[in-house]
Coordinates of all heavy atoms in Angstrom, one line a residue:
K36 N -63.0 15.6 30.8 CA -63.5 14.6 29.8 C -64.8 14.0 30.3 O -65.7 13.7 29.5 CB -62.5 13.6 29.5 CG -61.3 14.2 28.7 CD -60.3 13.1 28.3 CE -59.3 13.6 27.3 NZ -58.3 12.5 26.9
T37 N -64.9 13.7 31.6 CA -66.1 13.1 32.1 C -67.3 14.0 32.0 O -68.5 13.6 31.7 CB -65.9 12.6 33.5 OG1 -64.8 11.7 33.6 CG2 -67.2 12.0 34.1
V38 N -67.1 15.3 32.2 CA -68.2 16.3 32.0 C -68.7 16.3 30.5 O -69.9 16.3 30.2 CB -67.7 17.7 32.4 CG1 -68.7 18.8 31.9 CG2 -67.6 17.8 33.9
E39 N -67.7 16.2 29.6 CA -68.1 16.2 28.2 C -68.8 14.9 27.8 O -69.8 14.9 27.0 CB -66.8 16.3 27.3 CG -66.2 17.7 27.4 CD -64.8 17.7 26.7 OE1 -64.4 16.7 26.1 OE2 -64.2 18.8 26.7
V40 N -68.4 13.7 28.4 CA -69.1 12.5 28.2 C -70.5 12.6 28.7 O -71.5 12.1 28.1 CB -68.3 11.3 28.9 CG1 -69.2 10.1 29.1 CG2 -67.1 11.0 28.1
A41 N -70.7 13.2 29.9 CA -72.1 13.3 30.4 C -72.9 14.2 29.5 O -74.1 13.9 29.3 CB -72.0 14.0 31.8
R42 N -72.3 15.2 28.9 CA -73.1 16.0 28.0 C -73.4 15.2 26.7 O -74.5 15.4 26.1 CB -72.3 17.3 27.6 CG -72.3 18.3 28.8 CD -71.7 19.6 28.4 NE -71.7 20.5 29.6 CZ -70.7 21.2 30.0 NH1 -69.5 21.1 29.4 NH2 -70.8 21.9 31.1
G43 N -72.5 14.3 26.3 CA -72.8 13.4 25.2 C -74.0 12.5 25.5 O -74.9 12.3 24.7
L44 N -74.0 12.0 26.7 CA -75.1 11.1 27.2 C -76.4 11.9 27.2 O -77.5 11.4 26.8 CB -74.8 10.5 28.5 CG -73.8 9.4 28.6 CD1 -73.4 9.1 30.0 CD2 -74.2 8.2 27.8
Q45 N -76.3 13.2 27.6 CA -77.5 14.1 27.6 C -78.0 14.2 26.2 O -79.3 14.2 26.0 CB -77.1 15.4 28.3 CG -78.2 16.4 28.4 CD -77.7 17.7 29.1 OE1 -76.7 18.2 28.7 NE2 -78.5 18.2 30.1
S46 N -77.1 14.4 25.2 CA -77.6 14.6 23.9 C -78.3 13.4 23.3 O -79.1 13.5 22.4 CB -76.4 15.0 23.0 OG -75.6 13.9 22.7
L47 N -78.0 12.2 23.9 CA -78.7 11.0 23.5 C -80.0 10.7 24.2 O -80.6 9.7 24.1 CB -77.7 9.8 23.7 CG -76.5 9.8 22.8 CD1 -75.5 8.7 23.2 CD2 -76.9 9.5 21.3
G48 N -80.3 11.6 25.1 CA -81.6 11.5 25.8 C -81.5 10.7 27.1 O -82.5 10.2 27.6
C49 N -80.3 10.5 27.7 CA -80.1 9.8 28.9 C -80.6 10.6 30.1 O -80.1 11.6 30.4 CB -78.7 9.4 29.1 SG -78.3 8.6 30.6
V50 N -81.7 10.1 30.7 CA -82.3 10.8 31.9 C -82.6 9.7 32.9 O -83.7 9.2 33.0 CB -83.6 11.6 31.6 CG1 -84.1 12.3 32.8 CG2 -83.3 12.6 30.4
P51 N -81.5 9.4 33.7 CA -81.7 8.3 34.7 C -82.6 8.7 35.8 O -82.6 9.9 36.2 CB -80.3 8.0 35.2 CG -79.6 9.3 35.0 CD -80.2 9.9 33.8
D52 N -83.4 7.8 36.4 CA -84.2 8.1 37.6 C -83.5 7.5 38.8 O -84.0 7.7 39.9 CB -85.6 7.7 37.5 CG -85.9 6.3 37.1 OD1 -85.0 5.5 37.1 OD2 -87.1 6.0 36.8
C53 N -82.4 6.8 38.6 CA -81.5 6.4 39.7 C -80.1 6.3 39.2 O -79.9 5.9 38.1 CB -82.0 5.2 40.5 SG -81.7 3.6 39.6
I54 N -79.2 6.8 40.0 CA -77.7 6.7 39.7 C -77.1 6.0 40.8 O -77.3 6.3 42.0 CB -77.1 8.1 39.5 CG1 -77.7 8.8 38.3 CG2 -75.6 8.0 39.4 CD1 -77.2 10.2 38.1
V55 N -76.3 4.9 40.5 CA -75.7 4.0 41.5 C -74.2 4.0 41.2 O -73.8 3.9 40.1 CB -76.3 2.6 41.3 CG1 -75.9 1.7 42.4 CG2 -77.8 2.6 41.2
S56 N -73.5 4.1 42.3 CA -72.0 4.2 42.2 C -71.3 3.2 43.1 O -71.8 2.9 44.2 CB -71.6 5.6 42.5 OG -70.1 5.7 42.6
S57 N -70.2 2.8 42.7 CA -69.2 2.1 43.5 C -68.8 3.1 44.7 O -68.8 4.3 44.5 CB -68.0 1.7 42.7 OG -66.8 1.6 43.5
P58 N -68.4 2.5 45.8 CA -67.9 3.4 46.9 C -66.6 4.1 46.7 O -66.2 5.0 47.4 CB -67.9 2.5 48.1 CG -67.8 1.1 47.6 CD -68.4 1.2 46.2
L59 N -65.8 3.7 45.7 CA -64.5 4.2 45.4 C -64.6 5.7 44.9 O -65.5 6.0 44.2 CB -63.7 3.4 44.5 CG -62.9 2.2 45.1 CD1 -63.8 1.2 45.8 CD2 -62.0 1.6 44.2
V60 N -63.7 6.5 45.3 CA -63.7 8.0 45.1 C -63.9 8.3 43.6 O -64.8 9.1 43.3 CB -62.4 8.7 45.6 CG1 -62.4 10.1 45.2 CG2 -62.4 8.5 47.2
R61 N -63.1 7.7 42.7 CA -63.2 8.0 41.3 C -64.6 7.7 40.7 O -65.1 8.4 39.8 CB -62.1 7.3 40.5 CG -62.0 5.8 40.6 CD -60.7 5.3 40.0 NE -60.6 3.9 40.1 CZ -60.1 3.2 41.1 NH1 -59.8 3.8 42.2 NH2 -60.0 1.9 41.1
A62 N -65.2 6.6 41.2 CA -66.5 6.3 40.7 C -67.6 7.2 41.3 O -68.4 7.7 40.5 CB -66.9 4.8 41.1

Side-chain angles (χ1 to χ4, degrees):
K36 287 183 174 184
T37 301
V38 166
E39 292 172 1
V40 163
R42 289 190 178 127
L44 289 170
Q45 184 180 44
S46 76
L47 292 168
C49 176
V50 183
D52 54 12
C53 73
I54 296 178
V55 188
S56 174
S57 154
L59 275 62
V60 173
R61 59 192 179 273

